[in-house]
C-alpha cells in the first residue's frame, strides 16, 4: 500500500512552485507509506512539466522505492496488490512486475489488457514517455482512493491518494474505467491541457468470460455503470472528456436475476429443536448447504491470499529495522554526497535535465538486499559497517544527478513523540519511550524478555518478529466472525491476531460516578461474545481483543485536526459517522484484558487490516433491502443489490481506504475478492437470502450457513447492525440528523456545489486501439 501523487501542468505555473506546494503538504501521503518516499520531476512536452511523488508501505519482494521508473523512462506510481490475474512470484515485487508488462505495451490495447487483468485492489498513475500519455484509474470496486484536482483554466491536473490542502477542490476519480490524458501536441497555442479531446475514458464493460480479448466494444458489452457519473469533472470549465467506444472487460459477471434452480424443500438434519443451529438449518435446502460449503472454500482462499501476501515484520519491527539500518548504512557521510549514490537516474531518458529524485532513505531489505527502481544491490555493493564504500555501477546508467537524502524526510519525522509498545516481544509489554522503543541498543533486552543482548548485537535481521501482523475490524457480527475464523486457518499458529473493537462514549452515562458501562455499546457486547466463540474454536491462538474507547472530547478534537481531511471530498452525516468510527478502529490503540481489572495499554502493530465491507451489499444485509423486497419482491431486491455493488466505490471504499491507510495499515477486503463476487453474482437471489424470515436469519442467509459450518453457532444468528449504530457514534453527540444531510462538522472541507452546465462528455469515439 502506498501514497501516490502526480501533477502535470504548464511551464508557466513554475516547476519549483508546484514542487514547493506538494512538499509542504505530504503529511497524509507519508503516513500512508512510512517506509520510503521520493519525488521525481521531468518535462513531458515542450510546454508542460510533470511531478511524481510516491510513498511506500512495504509488503512484497524487495523494498522498492516509488516512483518506479523503467529504462525507457516510463514512470509508474502503484498503490495496489496483485492477488491474481498476473503471475507474481513469492519473492517478486508486484509493482515492478506490472511496470515490466506496461513497459512492453506499445499499443493501447496491450496496456489496457494488462491493467484489466489485475485481480486485487489498485489505483495507479502511469506515465508512458514515448507516447506522451498519462494513464490513471481505480479498480472496478474503487478499493483504493484516487482524487483529482484540476488546475486553473484547465492548465493541468493533479492526482493524489488524499487531498493536498495547498490545492483547493479535489474530487474522487470515479471507478468507471481507465482514463488516459494525451499530452502529445500540447503547445503554447493550445487552449489548455485538458481540452481538445485530450482526456479519454475506457469504461469497464461486462462481456462473455469466454472472450479471448479483454478489449470490448461498448456496443457488444454492457457498461458496468449504465449511467456514467463523472463527478470528478463536474463544475470544471474547459474540461472535455471522450468516452472511447472501446471498453475494458471487467472481472464481474452480470448479476443473476433468475428465480429458478433452487429447491424449495428444506432439509433439517437436526432432530432436536432445542439445538440453536435448528433456527437456520430448518430453512436450508440441500443445495444451499452445498453452496455454503463452496462459499467457505472461495472466501477462505480470499482471506488466505490477503494474509500471506505481506512482510514478515509488523509495523513496529519494520520501523526498528529501517531505523537501525539507517544508522548503520549512513555512518559514512560520503554516502550522501557521492555522485554515485544509491539513487541513480538515467539522464538520457529524461526530457528535462533537471529531473531529480529526492526522498528519505532506502535501507537494505531485511534479507540484506534492496532495490532501487528494479536494480538490486547486495552487501558487496554497500559495506555498511566500514568507513570505505564502493558501488558496482549497476544502476540504469551513469548518473549525472546526485541522489539527495534529507534527514528531515526520515521515516519517523511525522510520528508523535509518545511511547509505544515494545517492538520485539511476543508477549504483551508495557509501552516504552521512543528513545528505547527503537531497540537500537542492548538496553532493550532488559525491557523485553524475549530479546537477548546477543540478538540485538547481531543486528536487526537476526530478530524474528513474533507480533500480530493481521488485525480485523471486529464487531462480533457474522461478517467479522467469519473473516476471523478463516484467518485463523492461515495465520501461523504462534502469531497473535488483533481484534479491533471500537466504542464511543455515551453522554447519558457521563454523569454517573462510576465510568463502568460508559462504553458498553452493542458492538462491544457482541464483540466479547464473538471472542468467546473464537476461543472455543481455536483455544491455542492468542486473540488480542483490543477495546478502543473514544471519548467525546477526543472524537471532536481528532475530527477537526485529522479525520475530516481524510473523509473529504465526501461530506454527509453518514460519511462523518463511518469515517470517524473506522479511523479510530483502524488506529488500533486501546487496551487488552477484557472483563478484568488488569487493563493493559496496547497499540496494534499489524500492517494488514481485514475488513468486512461488501458482505451487506451482496447478501442483502441492510434494512433498505427488506423494504425493497416488501415493496417489489425478488426482482426489486435484485435491482437494489445490483445498484449497491455498482456504487460501493463512490459511497464507501475510497473514504475507507483513506482513513484506514492513515495509520500505515492496508485495508484488505475478502468479500470483494473477484472470485468471491463472481461466485455470489452467479447465484440466484433466493439462494443467498430469504427476507421472508426474521431479522438475524433471513438476511445474509447463505453467509450465516457458512458461519455455522465454521462452528460459529451463536454468531451465525446475530442481527445486522451498522458500525455507526453498533459503536454508538451516531448517538455520541446526540444530534438528530439524517444520514444523507451535509454534515456541519465537515463544513471546513465541504465540496463546492457542482455546476452541471460547464462540463462536457463527448459521444463515444474510436480511440487508437
Amino acid at each position: 500500500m502506498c501514497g501516490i501523487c502526480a501533477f502535470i501542468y504548464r511551464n508557466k505555473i513554475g516547476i519549483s512552485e508546484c514542487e514547493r506546494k506538494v512538499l509542504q503538504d505530504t503529511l497524509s501521503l507519508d503516513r500512508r507509506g512510512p517506509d520510503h518516499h521520493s519525488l521525481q520531476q521531468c518535462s513531458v512536452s515542450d510546454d508542460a512539466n510533470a511531478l511524481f511523488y510516491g510513498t511506500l508501505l512495504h509488503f512484497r519482494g524487495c523494498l522498492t522505492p516509488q516512483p518506479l521508473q523503467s529504462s525507457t523512462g516510463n514512470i509508474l506510481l502503484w498503490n495496489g496488490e496483485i492477488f491474481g490475474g498476473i503471475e507474481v512470484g513469492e519473492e517478486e515485487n508486484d509493482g515492478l512486475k506490472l511496470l515490466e508488462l506496461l513497459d512492453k505495451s506499445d499499443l493501447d490495447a496491450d496496456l489496457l489488457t494488462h491493467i484489466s487483468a489485475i485481480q486485487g485492489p489498485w489505483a495507479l498513475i502511469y506515465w508512458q514517455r514515448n507516447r506522451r500519455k498519462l494513464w490513471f484509474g481505480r479498480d472496478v470496486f474503487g478499493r483504493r482512493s484516487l482524487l483529482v484536482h484540476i488546475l486553473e483554466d484547465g492548465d493541468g491536473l493533479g492526482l493524489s491518494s488524499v487531498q493536498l490542502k495547498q490545492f483547493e477542490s479535489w474530487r474522487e476519480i470515479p471507478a468507471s474505467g481507465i482514463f488516459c490524458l494525451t499530452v502529445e501536441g500540447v503547445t503554447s497555442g493550445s487552449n489548455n491541457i485538458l481540452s481538445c479531446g485530450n482526456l479519454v475514458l475506457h469504461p469497464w464493460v461486462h462481456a462473455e468470460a469466454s472472450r479471448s480479448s479483454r478489449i470490448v466494444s461498448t456496443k457488444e458489452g454492457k457498461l458496468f455503470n449504465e449511467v456514467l457519473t463523472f463527478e470528478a469533472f463536474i463544475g470544471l470549465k474547459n474540461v472535455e472528456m471522450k468516452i472511447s467506444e472501446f471498453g475494458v472487460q471487467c472481472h464481474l459477471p452480470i448479476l443473476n436475476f433468475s428465480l429458478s434452480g433452487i429447491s424449495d424443500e428444506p432439509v433439517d438434519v437436526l432432530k432436536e429443536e432445542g439445538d440453536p443451529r435448528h433456527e437456520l438449518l430448518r430453512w436450508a435446502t440441500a443445495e444451499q448447504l452445498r453452496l455454503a460449503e463452496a462459499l467457505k472454500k472461495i472466501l477462505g482462499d480470499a482471506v488466505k491470499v490477503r494474509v500471506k501476501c505481506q512482510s514478515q515484520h509488523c509495523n513496529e519491527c519494520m520501523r526498528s529495522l529501517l531505523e537501525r539500518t539507517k544508522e548503520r548504512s549512513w555512518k559514512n557521510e560520503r554516502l550522501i554526497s557521492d555522485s554515485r549514490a544509491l539513487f541513480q537516474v538515467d539522464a538520457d531518458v529524461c526530457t528535462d535535465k533537471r529531473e531529480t529524485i529526492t526522498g528519505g532513505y532506502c535501507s537494505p531489505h531485511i534479507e540484506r538486499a534492496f532495490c532501487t527502481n528494479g536494480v538490486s544491490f547486495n552487501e558487496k555493493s554497500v559495506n555498511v559497517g566500514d568507513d570505505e564504500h564502493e558501488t558496482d555501477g549497476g544502476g540504469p546508467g551513469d548518473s549525472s544527478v546526485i541522489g539527495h537524502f534529507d534527514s528531515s524526510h526520515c521515516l519517523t519525522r511525522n510520528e508523535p513523540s509518545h511511547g509505544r509498545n515494545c517492538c520485539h516481544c511476543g508477549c504483551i509489554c508495557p509501552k516504552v519511550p521512543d528513545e528505547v522503543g527503537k531497540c537500537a541498543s542492548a538496553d532493550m533486552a532488559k525491557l523485553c524478555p524475549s530479546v537477548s543482548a546477543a540478538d540485538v548485537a547481531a543486528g536487526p535481521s537476526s530478530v524474528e518478529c513474533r507480533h500480530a501482523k493481521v488485525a480485523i475490524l471486529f464487531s462480533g457480527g457474522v461478517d467479522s466472525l467469519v473473516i476471523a475464523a478463516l484467518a485463523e486457518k492461515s495465520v501461523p499458529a504462534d502469531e497473535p491476531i488483533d481484534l479491533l473493537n471500537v466504542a464511543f462514549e455515551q453522554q447519558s452515562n457521563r454523569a454517573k460516578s462510576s465510568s463502568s458501562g460508559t462504553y458498553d455499546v452493542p458492538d462491544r457486547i457482541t464483540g466479547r461474545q464473538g471472542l468467546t466463540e473464537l476461543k472455543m474454536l481455536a483455544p491455542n491462538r492468542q486473540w488480542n481483543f483490543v477495546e478502543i474507547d473514544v471519548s467525546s472530547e477526543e472524537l471532536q478534537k481528532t475530527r477537526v485536526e485529522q479525520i475530516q481531511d481524510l473523509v473529504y471530498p465526501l461530506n454527509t452525516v453518514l460519511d462523518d459517522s463511518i469515517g470517524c468510527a473506522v479511523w479510530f478502529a483502524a488506529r488500533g490503540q486501546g487496551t487488552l484484558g477484557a472483563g478484568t481489572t488488569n487493563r493493559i495499554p496496547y497499540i496494534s502493530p499489524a500492517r494488514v487490516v481485514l475488513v468486512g465491507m461488501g458482505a451487506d451489499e451482496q447478501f442483502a444485509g441492510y434494512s433498505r433491502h427488506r423494504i425493497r423486497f416488501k415493496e417489489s419482491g425478488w426482482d426489486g431486491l435484485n435491482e437494489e443489490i445490483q445498484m449497491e455493488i455498482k456504487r460501493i466505490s463512490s459511497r464507501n471504499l475510497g473514504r475507507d481506504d483513506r482513513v484506514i491507510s492513515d495509520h500505515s495499515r492496508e485495508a484488505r477486503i475478502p468479500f470483494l475478492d473477484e472470485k468471491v463476487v463472481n461466485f455470489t453474482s452467479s447465484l440466484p437471489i433466493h439462494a443467498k437470502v430469504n427476507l421472508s424470515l426474521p431479522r438475524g436469519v433471513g438476511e445474509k442467509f447463505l453467509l450465516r450457513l457458512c458461519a455455522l459450518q465454521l462452528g460459529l453457532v451463536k454468531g451465525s444468528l446475530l442481527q445486522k447492525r451498522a458500525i455507526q449504530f453498533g459503536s454508538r457514534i451516531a448517538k455520541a453527540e446526540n444530534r438528530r440528523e439524517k444520514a444523507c444531510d451535509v454534515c456541519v462538522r465537515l463544513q471546513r472541507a465541504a465540496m463546492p456545489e457542482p455546476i452541471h452546465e460547464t462540463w462536457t462528455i463527448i459521444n463515444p469515439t474510436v480511440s487508437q486501439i
Side-chain angles (χ1 to χ4, degrees):
M1 192 275 300
C2 307
I4 59 177
C5 174
F7 278 81
I8 285 188
Y9 51 92
R10 285 195 179 279
N11 288 340
K12 68 179 183 179
I13 296 176
I15 192 166
S16 59
E17 175 67 12
C18 190
E19 177 187 2
R20 181 188 64 80
K21 285 187 174 182
V22 170
L23 290 179
Q24 281 182 349
D25 203 11
T26 62
L27 183 60
S28 294
L29 287 169
D30 293 343
R31 283 196 296 261
R32 293 176 64 94
D35 297 344
H36 183 272
H37 53 272
S38 59
L39 172 74
Q40 185 168 343
Q41 299 169 336
C42 62
S43 291
V44 295
S45 75
D46 294 338
D47 194 38
N49 293 326
L51 176 153
F52 303 91
Y53 184 83
T55 68
L56 176 68
L57 183 69
H58 172 65
F59 283 107
R60 304 166 72 175
C62 54
L63 196 153
T64 309
Q66 291 213 65
L68 302 169
Q69 182 177 0
S70 71
S71 59
T72 58
N74 297 331
I75 296 172
L76 174 65
L77 286 166
W78 167 246
N79 176 26
E81 300 291 342
I82 299 179
F83 293 134
I86 295 175
E87 185 176 351
V88 180
E90 189 173 334
E91 299 299 323
E92 285 187 295
N93 181 279
D94 56 349
L96 285 176
K97 183 73 173 182
L98 179 61
L99 177 61
E100 178 185 343
L101 294 173
L102 299 182
D103 198 42
K104 297 175 182 178
S105 302
D106 293 327
L107 300 177
D108 288 0
D110 297 333
L111 185 144
L112 291 167
T113 297
H114 291 312
I115 296 177
S116 65
I118 299 170
Q119 295 180 23
W122 58 267
L124 65 78
I125 304 169
Y126 178 63
W127 170 244
Q128 197 174 22
R129 174 179 173 267
N130 62 333
R131 304 185 70 199
R132 294 292 187 267
K133 290 187 175 184
L134 183 75
W135 300 84
F136 56 95
R138 305 160 68 194
D139 69 77
V140 70
F141 296 123
R143 288 166 287 186
R144 292 290 178 264
S145 170
L146 190 62
L147 307 182
V148 62
H149 166 76
I150 305 300
L151 298 176
E152 186 177 357
D153 296 327
D155 269 338
L157 85 165
L159 301 164
S160 179
S161 301
V162 293
Q163 68 158 331
L164 304 183
K165 290 187 288 185
Q166 294 288 325
F167 304 88
E168 296 181 357
S169 186
W170 292 80
R171 302 169 192 267
E172 283 191 340
I173 290 289
S176 301
I178 301 170
F179 295 83
C180 180
L181 173 65
T182 301
V183 186
E184 184 70 57
V186 174
T187 64
S188 57
S190 303
N191 290 330
N192 57 62
I193 291 178
L194 295 175
S195 66
C196 307
N198 292 338
L199 185 61
V200 176
L201 169 69
H202 300 274
W204 295 121
V205 177
H206 288 296
E208 295 294 330
S210 58
R211 287 182 57 92
S212 58
S213 173
R214 300 194 65 86
I215 307 303
V216 184
S217 169
T218 53
K219 297 178 181 178
E220 297 178 20
K222 185 177 182 181
L223 295 183
F224 179 72
N225 284 317
E226 286 88 348
V227 180
L228 293 167
T229 56
F230 300 105
E231 297 178 357
F233 302 99
I234 292 177
L236 302 172
K237 296 180 179 180
N238 303 317
V239 177
E240 298 176 357
M241 182 190 307
K242 292 181 180 178
I243 304 175
S244 171
E245 70 173 17
F246 289 101
V248 187
Q249 182 180 357
C250 63
H251 293 276
L252 309 178
I254 297 174
L255 196 66
N256 186 347
F257 273 64
S258 171
L259 297 178
S260 61
I262 299 294
S263 169
D264 292 331
E265 292 298 324
V267 179
D268 192 344
V269 296
L270 298 176
K271 303 302 182 184
E272 299 181 9
E273 292 192 8
D275 192 320
R277 294 175 294 173
H278 182 77
E279 289 300 316
L280 279 175
L281 291 177
R282 66 175 173 155
W283 306 108
T285 66
E287 180 67 5
Q288 284 175 317
L289 293 175
R290 185 191 69 79
L291 292 174
E293 281 286 351
L295 175 62
K296 183 174 71 172
K297 172 64 169 61
I298 295 171
L299 187 58
D301 290 343
V303 171
K304 182 178 180 178
V305 72
R306 283 158 177 78
V307 166
K308 296 293 185 182
C309 290
Q310 65 161 312
S311 168
Q312 295 182 0
H313 290 73
C314 71
N315 255 339
E316 289 301 314
C317 287
M318 181 65 77
R319 188 202 312 270
S320 257
L321 288 170
L322 294 177
E323 287 288 349
R324 177 67 185 273
T325 306
K326 176 189 175 184
E327 293 173 6
R328 300 177 66 191
S329 298
W330 309 140
K331 181 178 179 181
N332 188 334
E333 293 184 359
R334 278 179 293 176
L335 279 174
I336 299 177
S337 59
D338 198 301
S339 63
R340 301 185 64 84
L342 299 182
F343 287 100
Q344 298 193 28
V345 182
D346 187 354
D348 293 336
V349 303
C350 305
T351 59
D352 188 339
K353 299 303 181 182
R354 294 176 295 173
E355 179 174 22
T356 62
I357 295 179
T358 64
Y361 54 89
C362 177
S363 62
H365 188 237
I366 53 179
E367 283 78 23
R368 297 187 183 272
F370 67 96
C371 288
T372 62
N373 293 333
V375 182
S376 296
F377 294 81
N378 54 35
E379 287 188 301
K380 293 180 181 179
S381 304
V382 181
N383 189 342
V384 297
D386 297 336
D387 290 339
E388 297 298 327
H389 73 278
E390 58 181 350
T391 59
D392 60 4
D398 291 336
S399 175
S400 61
V401 181
I402 298 174
H404 173 62
F405 301 91
D406 186 348
S407 61
S408 67
H409 288 172
C410 73
L411 179 139
T412 58
R413 70 185 175 101
N414 296 323
E415 294 297 322
S417 57
H418 54 69
R420 55 179 186 263
N421 291 83
C422 169
C423 60
H424 286 306
C425 61
C427 59
I428 304 303
C429 287
K431 295 175 69 176
V432 293
D434 279 331
E435 290 75 15
V436 293
K438 298 174 184 177
C439 296
S441 69
D443 291 340
M444 177 48 62
K446 301 175 183 178
L447 293 173
C448 181
S450 66
V451 177
S452 67
D455 283 335
V456 178
S461 60
S462 67
V463 180
E464 180 182 358
C465 175
R466 309 182 190 101
H467 297 125
K469 301 178 187 65
V470 174
I472 301 168
L473 295 193
F474 189 76
S475 66
V478 64
D479 309 343
S480 57
L481 268 173
V482 167
I483 289 177
L486 292 173
E488 200 282 327
K489 298 176 182 296
S490 299
V491 174
D494 60 346
E495 286 185 11
I497 296 177
D498 288 349
L499 306 176
L500 310 180
N501 183 274
V502 66
F504 290 84
E505 182 183 27
Q506 300 306 292
Q507 291 182 338
S508 59
N509 293 322
R510 297 190 69 191
K512 295 182 179 181
S513 57
S514 173
S515 61
S516 61
T518 302
Y519 296 99
D520 281 342
V521 300
D523 278 0
R524 179 62 48 82
I525 297 170
T526 56
R528 289 170 179 167
Q529 293 172 350
L531 174 64
T532 301
E533 276 205 290
L534 291 174
K535 286 182 175 179
M536 293 175 63
L537 283 179
N540 296 324
R541 170 75 62 184
Q542 180 180 329
W543 298 98
N544 292 333
F545 185 72
V546 188
E547 296 190 344
I548 301 164
D549 297 340
V550 184
S551 68
S552 298
E553 290 81 2
E554 184 179 19
L555 169 60
Q556 294 166 10
K557 180 176 184 291
T558 310
R559 175 195 286 121
V560 171
E561 293 179 351
Q562 204 159 343
I563 298 175
Q564 67 176 6
D565 292 332
L566 300 167
V567 172
Y568 177 85
L570 305 187
N571 60 359
T572 68
V573 170
L574 183 65
D575 294 317
D576 173 57
S577 296
I578 297 179
C580 290
V582 172
W583 188 91
F584 280 106
R587 185 174 66 169
Q589 181 176 325
T591 59
L592 301 179
T596 70
T597 56
N598 185 24
R599 307 295 293 274
I600 303 171
Y602 181 80
I603 302 177
S604 173
R607 289 197 152 201
V608 168
V609 179
L610 300 178
V611 296
M613 285 82 166
D616 292 307
E617 286 78 4
Q618 297 178 74
F619 295 100
Y622 294 120
S623 298
R624 58 180 174 269
H625 291 136
R626 282 189 174 273
I627 296 173
R628 186 64 187 274
F629 176 71
K630 185 176 180 180
E631 293 175 348
S632 308
W634 291 114
D635 287 335
L637 181 59
N638 260 325
E639 292 172 358
E640 188 76 16
I641 288 178
Q642 182 171 258
M643 180 184 66
E644 297 275 8
I645 294 174
K646 289 181 177 181
R647 70 182 184 182
I648 194 172
S649 63
S650 60
R651 283 179 66 94
N652 296 316
L653 297 186
R655 175 201 64 217
D656 295 342
D657 173 67
R658 291 190 293 276
V659 298
I660 292 174
S661 300
D662 194 53
H663 303 292
S664 304
R665 310 187 201 277
E666 180 171 276
R668 296 186 176 179
I669 314 174
F671 284 109
L672 290 180
D673 178 271
E674 283 80 359
K675 293 178 181 177
V676 172
V677 179
N678 267 284
F679 174 74
T680 61
S681 298
S682 68
L683 301 178
I685 185 63
H686 54 287
K688 298 178 283 189
V689 303
N690 186 350
L691 297 188
S692 62
L693 298 178
R695 286 180 58 84
V697 178
E699 74 278 9
K700 298 193 277 195
F701 186 74
L702 190 64
L703 184 59
R704 294 180 187 280
L705 289 177
C706 178
L708 199 61
Q709 292 174 354
L710 286 167
L712 302 167
V713 179
K714 293 181 180 179
S716 66
L717 294 170
L718 289 175
Q719 293 187 18
K720 160 68 183 177
R721 188 180 290 111
I723 188 173
Q724 64 269 31
F725 302 119
S727 67
R728 284 295 190 258
I729 187 174
K731 294 186 177 180
E733 293 166 307
N734 196 26
R735 295 180 182 272
R736 296 182 179 180
E737 301 165 310
K738 294 182 179 179
C740 59
D741 290 344
V742 173
C743 182
V744 295
R745 298 177 294 283
L746 299 178
Q747 273 189 335
R748 187 168 67 89
M751 187 169 61
E753 289 297 319
I755 306 173
H756 295 266
E757 292 77 16
T758 60
W759 64 294
T760 305
I761 293 183
I762 302 174
N763 290 330
T765 58
V766 178
S767 68
Q768 297 176 359
I769 300 286

